[in-house]
Amino acid sequence: NLHTQLEKIGSTPEVFYGSPEDIFKTLLEKYQIAKVFTNDDYEPYAIKRDKAIRALLKRRDATLEAYKDQVIFHKDEILKDDGKPFVVFTPYSRQWKNKLEDFFIKEYPVKKYFKNFFKQSPASIPTLQSMGFSSSDQHIPKRDIPEDVIKAYSATRDFPGLEGTTRMGIHLRFGTVSIRKLATEALALNKTYLNELIWRDFYHMILWHFPHVGEHKAFKPAYDTIPWRNNEDEFKKWCSGQTGYPIVDAGLRQLAATGFMHNRVRMVTASFLSKHLLIDWRWGEAYFAEKLLDFDLAANNGGWQWAVGSGNDAAPYFRIFNPYLQAKRFDKDNVYIKKWVPEFDSDQYAEPIVKHDFARKRCLEVFGKALNENR
């Protein structure tokens, strides 16, 4: 789409596949570059990459100019009165809302700069095959913002059997929908949905100020002392949706088939892995990263650490989701479960991998001992 749009104004994107440093060396030989403009990225890999490119450009008397784009507020824009970052969501969101004004969500006037685009004949885009990929038939949600879904979001968002979420996560992750546009819609249509966008900003801010969370460490260090069982057979059953807990299995099967899992079910499956099975949450975080089309390191890490209790403003370790009650409350007619686990009410369905009461008691003992000893 971008290629087609640029062709209409006599320009073209030049697309390269390879390591950033190698490609920028090639570009520096081909063009006389004074400045490179990019958007900030807060992930550990991206920070290292940008540092290397900045150093490479500096040796050629060029600079790297980075700007905010993928969040409404970033880095040091929302801080406590003492200049330190927030670690609790509610006061962060309060200041976020107080600071918000039209300037932060207005549309960028890109069209007036079209005349400045570099003019050249259309360049070819590398094929999937040339990059070692093949096409997939997995469904990609549309880029159109579903206003009706946002309007009803407060009432429908927790029910996985309904089309009650926007599926905009993938477009925020790849930048194909502007966060400013989505925040504008949320302000007009549904404050609960706006709150979810603020959570996204919050987790990106946390990743920036506390980069250890993106390097496989708990935000709260005591949680790194928990003695995980890490039973590989049980992990495989969790991944394949064969735990014997219908809502957990439905979520994992939906993820494997579609690259998406409903957010309520993400919380239930994450809690089940870390608390019922005592399997290191980082195993689950990595599995989600592999499967999710909307994978975003800050949000994925933040969600997993929230579920296990190790993160910001997280559910306490003694809050353990009961998958049966979650299904009864949010999928009472088994619409979601029947779709993904059609055999759940038959002899063919797997026996529960662990009894809930036993798992809850075990979790409280193991977590409690580790955390009390390492406060």
Side-chain angles (χ1 to χ4, degrees):
N1 287 343
L2 182 63
H3 193 279
T4 301
Q5 290 175 43
L6 290 175
E7 267 192 279
K8 292 176 181 176
I9 59 171
S11 187
T12 184
E14 287 201 43
V15 184
F16 300 85
Y17 183 71
S19 80
E21 285 188 76
D22 290 343
I23 288 165
F24 270 93
K25 288 174 183 176
T26 300
L27 290 171
L28 286 163
E29 295 299 325
K30 184 176 181 180
Y31 299 109
Q32 187 174 348
I33 295 174
K35 291 183 179 181
V36 173
F37 295 88
T38 187
N39 294 322
D40 274 315
D41 192 332
Y42 318 105
E43 298 185 7
Y45 161 76
I47 292 170
K48 292 175 184 176
R49 175 201 63 206
D50 292 354
K51 183 179 180 181
I53 298 302
R54 185 174 281 110
L56 174 63
L57 293 170
K58 187 177 181 180
R59 292 196 294 270
R60 303 292 187 94
D61 297 320
T63 59
L64 181 69
E65 308 283 341
Y67 295 87
K68 175 181 69 174
D69 179 66
Q70 63 169 317
V71 291
I72 301 297
F73 295 114
H74 75 159
K75 295 183 178 177
D76 299 325
E77 289 190 294
I78 304 290
L79 296 172
K80 294 190 288 187
D81 292 341
D82 60 5
K84 295 180 180 179
F86 286 96
V87 295
V88 177
F89 175 74
T90 299
Y92 171 87
S93 67
R94 191 180 301 122
Q95 186 161 324
W96 190 103
K97 292 171 184 174
N98 288 339
K99 186 167 183 173
L100 188 68
E101 56 186 54
D102 288 346
F103 170 80
F104 294 105
I105 56 174
K106 69 179 181 180
E107 187 175 349
Y108 287 174
V110 292
K111 290 183 179 178
K112 73 177 185 180
Y113 297 110
F114 280 0
K115 63 181 182 297
N116 298 333
F117 275 63
F118 187 73
K119 300 295 190 287
Q120 63 179 5
S121 300
S124 61
I125 296 176
T127 64
L128 287 173
Q129 289 73 22
S130 71
M131 296 184 287
F133 292 94
S134 58
S135 60
S136 168
D137 59 2
Q138 256 186 344
H139 171 71
I140 303 297
K142 292 181 179 179
R143 201 164 66 96
D144 303 326
I145 297 173
E147 292 186 4
D148 289 345
V149 173
I150 295 178
K151 286 178 184 177
Y153 186 77
S154 305
T156 61
R157 66 177 181 141
D158 279 318
F159 300 93
L162 302 176
E163 293 297 327
T165 60
T166 64
R167 302 295 298 275
M168 284 289 105
I170 185 173
H171 295 291
L172 288 174
R173 183 257 182 274
F174 285 102
T176 44
V177 168
S178 161
I179 183 62
R180 294 169 295 283
K181 174 66 174 173
L182 210 49
T184 300
E185 295 284 345
L187 275 167
L189 300 173
N190 194 300
K191 298 299 168 54
T192 302
Y193 187 72
L194 179 68
N195 229 42
E196 294 302 304
L197 300 181
I198 301 173
W199 269 105
R200 182 177 174 274
D201 268 18
F202 179 68
Y203 282 141
H204 278 275
M205 180 275 296
I206 291 296
L207 181 61
W208 172 257
H209 283 282
F210 305 95
H212 68 278
V213 302
E215 296 172 345
H216 311 297
K217 293 183 175 66
F219 179 81
K220 299 172 184 173
Y223 279 78
D224 284 330
T225 67
I226 291 171
W228 304 105
R229 290 176 60 250
N230 289 345
N231 183 298
E232 292 189 13
D233 288 337
E234 291 180 1
F235 180 64
K236 289 176 182 176
K237 289 180 179 178
W238 179 85
C239 291
S240 60
Q242 297 290 341
T243 68
Y245 283 80
I247 197 165
V248 173
D249 293 340
L252 271 305
R253 295 187 197 186
Q254 180 187 31
L255 177 62
T258 68
F260 172 79
M261 187 193 295
H262 187 276
N263 190 56
R264 164 62 56 177
V265 186
R266 294 187 199 197
M267 292 190 287
V268 176
T269 57
S271 175
F272 185 86
L273 182 76
S274 57
K275 294 179 176 178
H276 278 68
L277 302 183
L278 287 182
I279 290 176
D280 194 331
W281 59 271
R282 284 160 283 220
W283 289 27
E285 181 197 21
Y287 184 73
F288 273 26
E290 178 187 337
K291 295 293 184 181
L292 286 170
L293 292 175
D294 63 8
F295 168 69
D296 174 289
L297 174 59
N300 190 50
N301 181 276
W304 271 93
Q305 296 222 40
W306 183 92
V308 75
S310 64
N312 304 86
D313 217 1
Y317 79 88
F318 48 80
R319 181 186 178 189
I320 301 170
F321 281 120
N322 182 328
Y324 297 122
L325 294 181
Q326 289 288 308
K328 184 177 180 180
R329 183 177 178 186
F330 298 110
D331 191 36
K332 64 183 180 67
D333 295 324
N334 296 318
V335 173
Y336 179 71
I337 289 170
K338 285 178 181 177
K339 179 175 181 178
W340 296 108
V341 191
E343 81 281 14
F344 90 98
D345 204 16
S346 72
D347 293 340
Q348 281 71 51
Y349 187 48
E351 288 292 319
I353 196 171
V354 64
K355 297 295 184 183
H356 171 72
D357 290 343
F358 167 80
R360 184 178 186 280
K361 183 174 182 291
R362 180 176 65 182
C363 175
L364 291 173
E365 291 173 353
V366 171
F367 273 53
K369 185 174 186 293
L371 298 177
N372 287 329
E373 289 177 354
N374 293 281
R375 282 181 174 177

